[in-house]
Structures are given as C-alpha cells and as structure tokens.
Amino acid sequence: MELLYLDGLAVHLLGPDAPVPPYTVEHGTTIASHLLRAVTDAPTVDLELEPDPDEEDPAISVARESVVAGGHRLSSRGGPGVHQLVTRFLTAAVGELEQHKDDPEGQVRSLFYYGLLAIASGPENQTNDQVAEGALAAFNAWDARIGAGFVPPWRIVA
C-alpha cells in the first residue's frame, strides 16, 4: 500500500501535469483518491520488498500495524468510515499542498506521512508519536530505496 500510494503521489505531484496553486478541495480530492486507490489495490500487488525487521526502524512496524488496524476500524463502519477518512484527510491534503507549494518533493513527503496517519488514527482520530515517527521513517526508507535505483515493477518497461 505504501509503495502504491507513494508512486501515485510522485507521478501526480512531480510529473508534467502537476497541480499548481492555488490549491482547492478538488486538488485534495485527487490526493485522497490516490490514498484510497492504494488501499484498494494493495491486495492485488504481490511484492516482497519489506526489509528484514531487524534491519529496519522498529517504529515502521508499529506504524504499519497501526495503519492496518486503523483501516480495519474505519472499514468496519462501511461508507461512513470511508467518508470520515476522506473528510478528515481533505483539509490536511490541501493544507500540505499549499504549505509546500514551492517544494513538490516536500508535498510528496508530507502527503505520504499524513495519508498514513489519517488511516492509522482510525475513526477515533487518535495516534501516537511512535506511529508518526514510523510513518515518516517509512517514507524515508522508500525514498532511500528508490534513490538507490529501485523501480516499482509496474513502472518497468520491457
């Protein structure tokens, strides 16, 4: 899910058709759709990419467990849970686009972070420092892997 979301954000925000300010609810809705698409499509992608937990920041595992648990709590509410997630995330998405308007890489980083936190916080809208630390560490781990030359399999042209 993380890689799908990160890839969607990067293509959208760093590509030739990147949105430009002023940012609106429509821009935030597009970002939220990338988050929901990543959650929805994650079960269809079979990647064995997660590093050995002993070699990874332990906060990442805590964040991942919280994202799964928060996602389950939100989805158990059906449509109202999805609505709650999107409504909560929209404001943050527009705000982060605007706050980092001169830094598209910063937009990707902050929207990845806030997307994971929005799910992890579940319907209660509560999380903790370790989850926040882990969400940022997960971004940094993916960023390092991609910076070292990793390309998602769906981006490899034969």
Side-chain angles (χ1 to χ4, degrees):
M1 182 289 249
E2 294 169 359
L3 182 58
L4 288 168
Y5 182 46
L6 180 57
D7 184 62
L9 286 174
V11 168
H12 180 67
L13 296 170
L14 303 175
D17 297 323
V20 294
Y23 297 107
T24 65
V25 171
E26 286 79 18
H27 293 108
T29 301
T30 300
I31 299 300
S33 73
H34 283 291
L35 180 63
L36 294 176
R37 188 174 306 119
V39 169
T40 303
D41 291 348
T44 67
V45 177
D46 185 25
L47 298 174
E48 295 182 22
L49 295 173
E50 291 185 24
D52 180 341
D54 295 332
E55 298 175 12
E56 183 178 82
D57 183 334
I60 293 175
S61 294
V62 171
R64 287 178 175 151
E65 291 169 9
S66 295
V67 167
V68 170
H72 285 159
R73 292 192 314 276
L74 284 161
S75 68
S76 72
R77 293 181 168 203
V82 173
H83 181 265
Q84 182 182 11
L85 170 65
V86 171
T87 302
R88 177 189 317 145
F89 184 58
L90 273 177
T91 304
V94 174
E96 291 305 305
L97 285 168
E98 191 61 41
Q99 183 174 350
H100 300 283
K101 65 184 169 195
D102 296 326
D103 179 16
E105 291 86 1
Q107 289 176 327
V108 172
R109 181 185 58 252
S110 67
L111 289 166
F112 178 88
Y113 172 78
Y114 280 107
L116 266 58
L117 288 182
I119 297 170
S121 65
E124 305 84 12
N125 197 21
Q126 293 187 3
T127 189
N128 61 50
D129 291 342
Q130 193 173 22
V131 173
E133 178 187 320
L136 188 55
F139 173 83
N140 291 332
W142 282 117
D143 189 48
R145 181 173 287 161
I146 292 166
F150 171 77
V151 177
W154 55 87
R155 295 279 172 216
I156 297 172
V157 178

